[in-house]
């Protein structure tokens, strides 16, 4: 990648420097000849609808956030990896690398802090937005409060156009429906255009897509891939903006689905790494560790975390295990290289439109690498998220499909630890492996330093605070008529041209599902919580970061007074940020539906023209007695889908074939089917399915035609989530639930469906207290 040389303008360095630290008016007074000149500048700016601070910046500054998902600290070439990421590395070489950057342990809280400049619990995102812990837990309802204005809302008031593409995952997923409510969606929080997926993860070949406030069908293009698609839309947004509004700045948020499960990429990218990982995770981790030292990403005296419990020594594995596990990592690496290519295309658009130099790009990963693939890797996301660990033989059977559209792959946790080199633990923990990720800041017009490393402690909430600082924007006390919370992030702008700058960021708490960490003045205390025990009984570990970069040497016994000091600070910060009450629950939240949740009704009626409905917003049927009723008008020979929820990995479906009614439930391992022993009659037929819960994740399903039972089966249901694809009426839009009609496209029903009705005995389903 080539960069044009920046043309230095008279006084630009000084105007930039003053405005960067919030003293733009003073800079203008000195440089432009006093108060009279300043007044004229401000008056002219106000006439053009701009703020005083914007008027003092020497030229417009665009802002871009690029977020990888579940990529570890060492995954980028510029942070020590063997994976080819030349375009992202070019940003690092022409910008700054931050090696002491922190996020939340999981997706939604990080994004909430990133886009608001505040701590995640304080804004209402104490856990991921799939979970609703009820009104007793106001910070864990998956909703960002209106008191926490988004960066888009603030920038929008300062003349910016705001564009978003890719993963969102900060709206209550129960509200991701074709009819909203839309107030927490991108356009409800200051974005002017949006294209991407609204939930936690996305299939890369057949995603559930939204444009602005509407679900849309999958683009009918050859060789479709989600990463490529969202970047194509981002490039279009930029080109349109610069063509029509060249003088106005823009903000772009790009949230990749990569590197989150499912790892899916065209085969040629997997082939690029064929044989690369045959030497195994122990060797690759050592190689990355040494490369990090060569690059200066970690200090010479840094230590490498020991192999995590549950990660086998590579040399102890069988040949079959080595072959399968290497294929998973080849896929992960190819996926990241493919993602890097898309970043390159986006940067190319900025270059071609002359916007690269004046665009402040902040590139991060939202948390550390995940261990959800388990010891063997995973090829079915539904099983992984239902806490069902795949056995090796089942994964081995899918070897040729790893990385393709018919698997939702995730690599084994041995490779996850490689991604998190040199740290311990994984995503979902408040240890370094869960919360320390790479950050790159690239801004030729605002940063003179290039290819340098910054070591200051930084947190994801600091990014938006820094943007406000460098743009000279004062956060309004009220926004949209709502009094605003204080922006608690701390600007790190002084580090741009001063590697030794002190930002004043001396304290930061972390909490996720009962796991806790507190950073204060170069020390970190981390709690060790045993599930089912009182939080007050937690053991606390202590790390002195100035002497222990990798956070591996627990010195709690040597400094008990420091431990007590930090525990006290954690509680103070937790009180200030609305962390309490705590809960150790995590994935169990998928099946938690409080009484005021949109899914808590006893009755749901859907009509055949309804748009695709996400699974998280569909009726929760797991372990609940219920009836599904589908009145149809049938002619002999009619066939097709009546109702389908899910995909080939898991779900349930009702369809007509051969004048017979068929039902199938797929739990990821087994398929339970009913074929009616009576044929459908011409005219009106009322199809009814009754599920009677007979035990934990167990029940009897009975199929009726016009109140006459026509078949039944025992069903072993999934415990937490039915599928990662939603509900369709009259067809099966993306992946087919049943292989019986996999060759029939969406298999639309040729008869008429009056409606689909779900009825439950109880309105609310509370999976845990």
């Amino acid at each position: 990648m080539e960069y044009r040389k920046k043309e230095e303008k008279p006084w630009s360095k000084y105007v930039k420097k003053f405005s960067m630290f919030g003293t733009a008016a003073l800079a203008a007074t000195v440089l432009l000849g006093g108060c009279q000149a300043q007044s004229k500048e401000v008056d002219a700016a106000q006439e053009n609808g701009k703020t005083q601070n914007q008027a003092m910046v020497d030229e417009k500054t665009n802002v871009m956030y690029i977020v990888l998902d579940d990529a570890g600290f060492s995954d980028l070439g510029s942070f020590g990896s063997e994976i080819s990421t030349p375009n992202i590395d070019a940003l690092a070489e022409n910008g700054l690398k931050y090696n002491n950057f922190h996020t939340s342990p999981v997706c939604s809280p990080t994004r909430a802090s990133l886009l608001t400049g505040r701590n995640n619990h304080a804004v209402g995102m104490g856990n991921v937005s799939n979970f609703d812990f009820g009104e007793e837990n106001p910070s864990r309802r998956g909703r960002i409060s209106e008191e926490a204005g988004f960066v888009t809302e603030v920038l929008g008031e300062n003349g910016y156009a705001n564009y978003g593409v890719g993963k969102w995952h900060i709206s209550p997923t129960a509200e991701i429906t074709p009819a909203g409510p839309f107030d927490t969606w991108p356009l409800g929080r200051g974005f002017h255009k949006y294209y991407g997926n609204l939930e936690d993860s996305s299939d890369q070949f057949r995603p559930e897509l939204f444009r602005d406030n509407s679900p849309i069908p999958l683009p009918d293009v050859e060789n479709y891939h989600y990463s490529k698609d969202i970047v194509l839309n981002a490039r279009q947004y930029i080109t349109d903006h610069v063509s029509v509004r060249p003088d106005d700045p823009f903000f772009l948020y790009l949230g990749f689905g990569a590197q989150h499960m499912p790892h899916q990429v065209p085969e040629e990218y997997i082939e690029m790494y064929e044989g690369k990982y045959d030497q195994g995770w122990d060797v690759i981790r050592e190689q990355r560790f040494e490369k990090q030292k060569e690059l200066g990403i970690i200090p010479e005296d840094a230590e490498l975390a020991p192999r995590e419990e549950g990660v086998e020594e590579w040399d102890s594995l069988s040949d079959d295990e080595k072959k399968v596990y290497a294929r998973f990592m080849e896929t992960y690496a190819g996926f990241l290289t493919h993602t890097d290519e898309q970043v390159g295309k986006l940067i190319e658009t900025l270059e071609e439109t002359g916007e690269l130099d004046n665009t402040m790009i902040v590139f991060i990963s939202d948390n550390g690498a995940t261990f959800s693939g388990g010891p063997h890797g995973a090829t079915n996301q539904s099983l992984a998220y239902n806490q069902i660990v795949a056995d090796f033989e089942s994964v081995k059977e899918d070897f040729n499909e790893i990385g393709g559209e018919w698997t939702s792959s995730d690599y084994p946790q041995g490779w996850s630890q490689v991604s998190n080199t040199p740290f311990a633990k994984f995503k979902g923990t408040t240890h370094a492996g869960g919360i320390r990720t790479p950050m790159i800041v690239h801004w030729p017009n605002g940063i003179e330093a290039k290819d340098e490393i910054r070591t200051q402690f930084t947190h994801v909430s600091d990014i938006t605070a820094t943007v406000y600082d460098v743009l000279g924007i004062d956060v309004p006390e009220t926004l949209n008529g709502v009094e605003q919370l204080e922006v608690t992030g701390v600007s790190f702008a002084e580090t741009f041209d001063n590697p030794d700058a002190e930002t004043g960021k001396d304290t930061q708490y972390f909490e996720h599902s009962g796991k806790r960490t507190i950073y204060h003045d170069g020390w970190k205390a981390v709690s060790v919580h045993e599930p089912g025990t009182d939080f007050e009984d937690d053991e606390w570990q202590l790390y002195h970061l100035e002497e222990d970069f990798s956070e591996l040497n627990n010195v709690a016994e040597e400094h008990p007074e420091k431990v007590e000091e930090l525990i006290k600070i954690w509680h103070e910060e937790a009180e200030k940020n609305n962390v309490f009450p705590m809960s150790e629950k995590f994935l169990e939240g998928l099946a938690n539906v409080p009484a005021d949740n949109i899914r808590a009704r006893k009755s749901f009626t859907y009509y055949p023209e309804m748009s695709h409905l996400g699974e998280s917003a569909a009726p929760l049927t797991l372990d609940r007695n219920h009836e599904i009723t589908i009145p149809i008008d049938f002619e002999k020979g009619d066939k097709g889908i009546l109702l389908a929820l899910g995909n080939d990995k898991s779900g349930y479906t009702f369809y007509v074939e051969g004048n017979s009614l068929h039902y199938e439930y797929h739990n990821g391992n087994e398929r339970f089917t009913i074929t009616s022993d009576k044929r459908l009659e011409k005219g009106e037929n009322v199809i009814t399915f009754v599920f009677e819960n007979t035990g934990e994740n167990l029940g009897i399903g009975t199929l009726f035609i016009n109140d006459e039972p026509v078949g039944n089966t025992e069903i072993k249901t999934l415990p937490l989530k039915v599928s990662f694809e939603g509900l369709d009426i009259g067809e099966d839009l993306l992946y087919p639930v049943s292989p019986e009609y996999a060759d029939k496209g969406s298999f639309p029903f040729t008869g008429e469906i009056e409606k689909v009705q779900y009825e439950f005995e109880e309105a609310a389903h509370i999976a845990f207290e």
Side-chain angles (χ1 to χ4, degrees):
M1 184 188 307
E2 295 183 358
Y3 294 92
R4 288 185 301 281
K5 184 177 180 180
K6 183 180 71 173
E7 179 183 353
E8 193 69 33
K9 299 182 179 180
W11 309 320
S12 64
K13 176 179 178 181
Y14 301 98
V15 174
K16 172 194 70 181
K17 189 68 70 176
F18 278 109
S19 64
M20 184 181 298
F21 305 127
T23 55
L26 175 59
T29 301
V30 173
L31 296 173
L32 300 177
C35 295
Q36 185 177 4
Q38 179 190 359
S39 178
K40 290 179 180 178
E41 282 287 311
V42 173
D43 289 345
Q46 289 174 341
E47 287 176 5
N48 290 322
K50 296 182 178 180
T51 69
Q52 175 177 330
N53 285 328
Q54 279 184 291
M56 300 309 124
V57 179
D58 59 335
E59 58 184 275
K60 74 169 184 178
T61 298
N62 308 312
V63 179
M64 185 181 298
Y65 295 167
I66 302 177
V67 183
L68 287 185
D69 200 341
D70 288 6
F73 181 81
S74 75
D75 276 336
L76 306 177
S78 49
F79 278 73
S81 179
E82 73 294 335
I83 300 173
S84 177
T85 55
N87 297 292
I88 298 171
D89 296 343
L91 294 177
E93 290 162 9
N94 290 275
L96 299 174
K97 293 172 282 189
Y98 286 77
N99 72 351
N100 199 8
F101 172 70
H102 297 73
T103 65
S104 293
V106 289
C107 311
S108 302
T110 290
R111 292 160 202 272
S113 287
L114 173 64
L115 291 171
T116 68
R118 301 165 174 95
N119 288 320
N120 59 290
H121 294 85
V123 305
M125 196 65 68
N127 215 309
V128 293
S129 65
N130 310 68
F131 306 161
D132 184 348
F133 282 61
E135 59 185 5
E136 299 84 6
N137 296 271
S139 70
R140 292 177 176 83
R141 306 217 68 184
R143 178 187 302 276
I144 298 174
S145 65
E146 294 181 0
E147 289 79 10
F150 277 40
V151 61
T152 42
E153 295 173 295
V154 174
L155 293 184
E157 291 201 342
N158 286 271
Y160 277 72
N162 300 308
Y163 307 109
V165 295
K167 174 175 172 174
W168 182 242
H169 199 202
I170 44 177
S171 297
T173 55
E175 296 182 5
I176 298 176
T177 81
F182 305 111
D183 56 309
T184 66
W185 291 28
L187 268 60
R189 296 310 306 251
F191 285 87
H192 298 112
K193 284 190 173 183
Y194 168 77
Y195 178 82
N197 71 296
L198 292 171
E199 291 211 38
D200 55 286
S201 59
S202 178
D203 192 275
Q204 297 293 309
F205 295 117
R206 305 186 193 184
E208 295 179 314
L209 290 171
F210 289 80
R211 186 176 295 283
D212 299 332
N213 283 344
S214 299
I216 62 170
L218 187 69
D220 185 14
V221 296
E222 191 174 357
N223 299 321
Y224 177 88
H225 193 278
Y226 181 59
S227 296
K228 184 177 179 180
D229 185 19
I230 58 176
V231 170
L232 181 66
N233 276 269
R235 297 171 70 191
Q236 188 68 57
Y237 289 161
I238 292 171
T239 302
D240 290 346
H241 178 91
V242 175
S243 298
V244 179
R245 300 170 58 184
D247 297 328
D248 293 335
F250 65 82
F251 171 87
L252 177 73
Y253 175 75
L254 167 56
F256 280 105
Q259 296 293 112
H260 196 290
M261 182 187 198
H263 301 161
Q264 295 170 315
V265 69
E267 180 68 25
E268 59 265 30
Y269 289 87
I270 303 174
E271 292 173 354
M272 289 173 58
Y273 291 94
E274 187 173 353
K276 180 70 175 178
Y277 296 103
D278 291 354
Q279 54 199 320
W281 47 58
D282 294 322
V283 170
I284 296 295
R285 193 159 72 104
E286 288 282 355
Q287 290 175 348
R288 288 197 186 184
F289 181 60
E290 293 304 321
K291 182 68 176 297
Q292 287 175 324
K293 289 185 177 181
E294 291 175 21
L295 294 172
I297 289 295
I298 66 175
E300 282 293 328
D301 62 355
E303 299 178 56
L304 182 62
R307 192 184 301 111
E308 289 289 342
E309 183 179 353
V311 176
E312 299 293 331
E313 182 181 359
W314 184 263
D315 288 344
S316 71
L317 301 173
S318 69
D319 289 344
D320 280 351
E321 287 172 325
K322 291 177 180 178
K323 179 181 177 181
V324 173
Y325 298 165
R327 168 74 179 197
F328 276 112
M329 189 59 196
E330 291 166 4
T331 299
Y332 183 86
F335 193 18
L336 184 51
T337 293
H338 180 268
T339 304
D340 177 81
E341 284 190 10
Q342 311 319 310
V343 172
K345 293 175 183 177
L346 181 63
I347 301 304
E348 184 178 281
T349 296
L350 290 175
E351 286 187 290
E352 291 172 349
T353 56
E355 297 294 323
L356 181 61
D357 287 355
N358 63 309
T359 299
M360 178 182 174
I361 300 173
V362 183
F363 183 99
I364 68 169
S365 175
D366 65 350
N367 46 245
T370 177
F371 65 97
S372 61
H376 308 301
T379 55
N380 188 324
Q381 187 173 11
S382 291
L383 293 180
Y385 274 71
N386 279 281
Q387 300 178 315
I388 300 171
V389 178
D391 63 82
F392 176 72
E393 289 304 317
S394 67
V395 170
K396 180 183 173 182
E397 288 177 8
D398 291 330
F399 176 83
N400 292 323
E401 300 296 334
I402 293 172
E405 63 181 330
W406 297 106
T407 59
S408 45
S409 304
D410 199 0
Y411 59 6
Q413 59 196 26
W415 293 119
S416 308
Q417 191 170 15
V418 171
S419 290
N420 290 333
T421 304
F423 303 126
K425 305 300 181 182
F426 308 99
K427 170 185 176 179
T429 74
T430 58
H431 283 78
I435 61 177
R436 288 183 72 172
T437 74
M439 179 170 70
I440 297 169
V441 181
H442 179 277
W443 183 24
N445 279 5
I447 303 175
E448 294 180 358
K450 295 185 185 302
D451 197 21
E452 293 185 5
I453 297 167
R454 296 293 183 260
T455 61
Q456 290 84 353
F457 181 96
T458 48
H459 182 257
V460 64
S461 63
D462 301 334
I463 294 172
T464 286
T466 303
V467 168
Y468 294 153
D469 186 10
V470 301
L471 297 179
I473 290 176
D474 294 324
V475 180
E477 293 182 3
T478 61
L479 193 63
N480 302 319
V482 179
E483 186 174 345
Q484 294 293 287
L485 295 169
E486 177 188 1
V487 170
T488 51
V490 176
S491 173
F492 52 84
E494 291 191 27
T495 68
F496 287 171
D497 288 324
N498 181 2
D500 300 317
E502 294 184 5
T503 66
K505 182 79 172 188
D506 56 7
T507 304
Q508 180 62 50
Y509 83 93
F510 301 84
E511 189 276 339
H512 171 69
S513 297
K515 304 175 185 72
R516 297 176 283 171
T517 287
I518 182 70
Y519 165 84
H520 181 69
D521 282 347
W523 295 80
K524 267 188 188 177
V526 183
S527 74
V528 178
H529 178 71
E530 292 295 327
T533 64
D534 194 302
F535 291 113
E536 294 303 315
D537 296 333
D538 287 0
E539 174 193 343
W540 286 78
Q541 300 170 344
L542 180 68
Y543 303 100
H544 191 195
L545 303 189
E546 292 178 5
E547 302 173 359
D548 182 15
F549 177 89
S550 303
E551 303 176 27
L552 297 175
N553 299 307
N554 179 15
V555 294
E557 289 187 6
E558 293 93 319
H559 301 280
E561 73 292 340
K562 180 62 70 172
V563 174
E564 291 304 315
E565 175 192 350
L566 292 182
I567 292 174
K568 180 181 178 182
I569 294 173
W570 185 89
H571 279 88
E572 291 171 351
E573 293 298 306
E575 288 285 356
K576 285 193 297 187
N577 288 280
N578 203 27
V579 174
F580 299 114
M582 289 194 301
S583 171
E584 64 186 30
K585 302 295 186 181
F586 183 54
L587 286 176
E588 298 92 336
L590 289 168
N592 195 63
V593 183
D596 60 346
N597 187 283
I598 199 170
R599 303 172 80 188
R601 303 199 310 266
K602 290 179 64 175
S603 179
F604 300 80
T605 302
Y606 303 125
Y607 296 94
E609 299 303 319
M610 183 183 73
S611 301
H612 180 83
L613 180 67
E615 191 274 346
S616 295
L620 181 67
T621 57
L622 301 173
D623 275 358
R624 300 177 70 189
N625 291 342
H626 63 275
E627 291 187 6
I628 301 174
T629 303
I630 313 173
I632 65 171
D633 193 0
F634 176 79
E635 296 286 342
K636 186 176 180 180
D638 280 339
K639 57 186 176 180
I641 303 296
L642 303 179
L643 167 68
L645 188 149
N647 54 26
D648 59 307
K649 285 79 177 177
S650 65
Y652 57 86
T653 181
F654 299 82
Y655 65 98
V656 176
E657 180 77 276
N659 298 319
S660 292
L661 177 64
H662 303 265
Y663 167 83
E664 182 173 319
Y665 183 96
H666 180 208
N667 68 8
N669 283 321
E670 300 177 81
R671 294 182 183 273
F672 304 92
T673 62
I674 304 173
T675 295
S676 63
D677 52 18
K678 175 184 177 181
R679 302 213 167 201
L680 291 164
E681 300 176 357
K682 179 180 178 181
E684 293 183 1
N685 291 263
V686 177
I687 311 303
T688 306
F689 173 79
V690 176
F691 179 83
E692 181 182 0
N693 182 234
T694 58
E696 186 175 5
N697 312 134
L698 194 65
I700 300 294
T702 305
L703 202 56
F704 297 80
I705 299 177
N706 297 325
D707 295 328
E708 180 183 342
V710 294
N712 65 75
T713 183
E714 182 179 69
I715 301 172
K716 298 176 183 178
T717 68
L718 288 165
L720 303 174
K721 186 175 176 67
V722 175
S723 180
F724 279 81
E725 186 180 318
L727 183 151
D728 296 309
I729 297 173
E731 58 185 334
D732 193 349
L733 278 176
L734 296 173
Y735 287 94
V737 174
S738 173
E740 296 300 321
Y741 56 79
D743 60 346
K744 295 180 171 61
S746 65
F747 200 27
F749 183 54
T750 57
E752 293 184 12
I753 300 172
E754 178 185 337
K755 60 185 177 182
V756 170
Q757 189 156 2
Y758 287 74
E759 295 285 350
F760 294 89
E761 291 182 358
E762 301 293 336
H765 175 74
I766 305 295
F768 58 86
E769 295 299 330

